[in-house]
Amino acid sequence: TERLRLDWRRWATPGTEHKVRFHGGVKAEQLPEDDHSVSLLMSQFCFEYTDTDTVLREINRVLFTHGAAIGMIIHNKASRIVAMAEDDLSFLTDAMAENGLLAATKAMMAFAAMASTPEGKAALKDNPEAEAARAAFNAAQGALAEKIQASDSPQAMANLGRACHTTVVAAAQVGLEQASQQFDELTHLYQDEIQRLKELIACAWNEEQLNQFISTLEQLGFAEVQTGLIHNQDYLMGWSLSARR
């Protein structure tokens, strides 16, 4: 929040900073504003993640009955953002599977830790389990390299590949216990990322949903409802919407 305040003050008209308040931990479904006390509501890739019917009632409650405006940027199901999310979700789901990259990484860690000592290296010699784990890990990384080469948005793949390699190296350098903690953190991180991607894909709007929202706004007294498609270079990125009443 402090960083956001600093950014706001940088761009605010001098002398207006005291008028800005930040409400942390607030649900959109329960806005902490008095009835008809707000002139402008803005949302960037946010509204569609909420309980939209409830939030719209709250928006209607807090906005002025006359002289209010809404400005929104909304995820579009046909956008580049959603397409990338679908690609990343497919890749991460495969990576998290029982025979995926993370499983191969975890199996490799124990043998990498053994290889940190002369005794461990001797024990690994002609060890079929160690050879199988190494072959599986190398095969998973090789398959990943092919996917990266074929993808036009390979960042998530490359990041995970580096992270898995780093975790195996850590097992050899700092021991299995510390590397296992690092691996658990990595697993939780990507479990959260999978959940985020699923929500993004599920919450993005198609044209029918946008039109339904426009109809509801008009029923609430909003006029001059304008929508458009937001592009970045040749890529569709989302919907834009503005309305006044």
Side-chain angles (χ1 to χ4, degrees):
T1 302
E2 186 59 33
R3 180 179 180 182
L4 183 60
R5 288 179 179 177
L6 291 172
D7 288 345
W8 175 265
R9 289 170 180 170
R10 178 180 179 184
W11 298 107
T13 302
T16 63
E17 297 91 336
H18 68 283
K19 298 180 179 180
V20 179
R21 290 183 296 156
F22 294 87
H23 302 280
V26 171
K27 292 183 177 181
E29 292 82 0
Q30 297 175 321
L31 296 175
E33 305 296 340
D34 295 333
D35 292 357
H36 310 306
S37 62
V38 176
S39 60
L40 173 64
L41 182 138
M42 301 183 70
S43 166
Q44 179 172 322
F45 297 139
C46 176
F47 176 75
E48 61 271 34
Y49 285 93
T50 68
D51 178 349
T52 54
D53 289 341
T54 300
V55 172
L56 189 54
R57 286 195 294 270
E58 276 293 271
I59 291 173
N60 187 50
R61 179 185 68 79
V62 302
L63 284 179
F64 291 168
T65 52
H66 300 285
I70 291 176
M72 291 185 176
I73 297 175
I74 301 164
H75 280 301
N76 184 319
K77 279 194 180 296
S79 71
R80 169 69 168 169
I81 294 172
V82 173
M84 290 177 62
E86 290 172 339
D87 288 345
D88 287 351
L89 178 60
S90 176
F91 156 69
L92 289 176
T93 300
D94 289 344
M96 299 282 285
E98 290 184 5
N99 60 345
L101 176 57
L102 267 75
T105 300
K106 186 174 183 179
M108 189 62 192
M109 287 164 50
F111 298 113
M114 289 177 63
S116 63
T117 66
E119 296 82 3
K121 288 182 180 179
L124 289 174
K125 188 176 181 180
D126 299 326
N127 183 321
E129 292 183 358
E131 289 298 323
R134 182 171 64 179
F137 180 74
N138 289 341
Q141 287 283 22
L144 175 62
E146 292 179 2
K147 289 182 179 180
I148 290 173
Q149 187 68 27
S151 175
D152 62 353
S153 56
Q155 192 61 50
M157 302 180 193
N159 288 343
L160 181 57
R162 284 192 295 268
C164 289
H165 175 78
T166 300
T167 303
V168 172
V169 172
Q173 293 180 342
V174 301
L176 184 58
E177 181 178 355
Q178 187 170 334
S180 294
Q181 293 177 355
Q182 184 174 323
F183 178 83
D184 289 343
E185 292 173 358
L186 181 68
T187 300
H188 293 151
L189 173 67
Y190 281 102
Q191 287 172 339
D192 289 345
E193 178 65 3
I194 285 174
Q195 181 62 33
R196 185 190 73 82
L197 293 170
K198 287 180 177 179
E199 290 177 352
L200 190 161
I201 294 166
C203 292
W205 283 8
N206 57 30
E207 189 168 1
E208 181 181 354
Q209 289 170 298
L210 181 70
N211 288 335
Q212 288 175 348
F213 183 55
I214 293 171
S215 295
T216 303
L217 288 176
E218 290 174 343
Q219 292 171 13
L220 294 174
F222 286 90
E224 302 179 39
V225 181
Q226 297 182 349
T227 62
L229 297 172
I230 301 171
H231 288 84
N232 182 8
Q233 298 179 1
D234 294 330
Y235 293 120
L236 173 63
M237 303 304 287
W239 303 103
S240 66
L241 180 144
S242 64
R244 295 179 178 276
R245 73 175 180 187

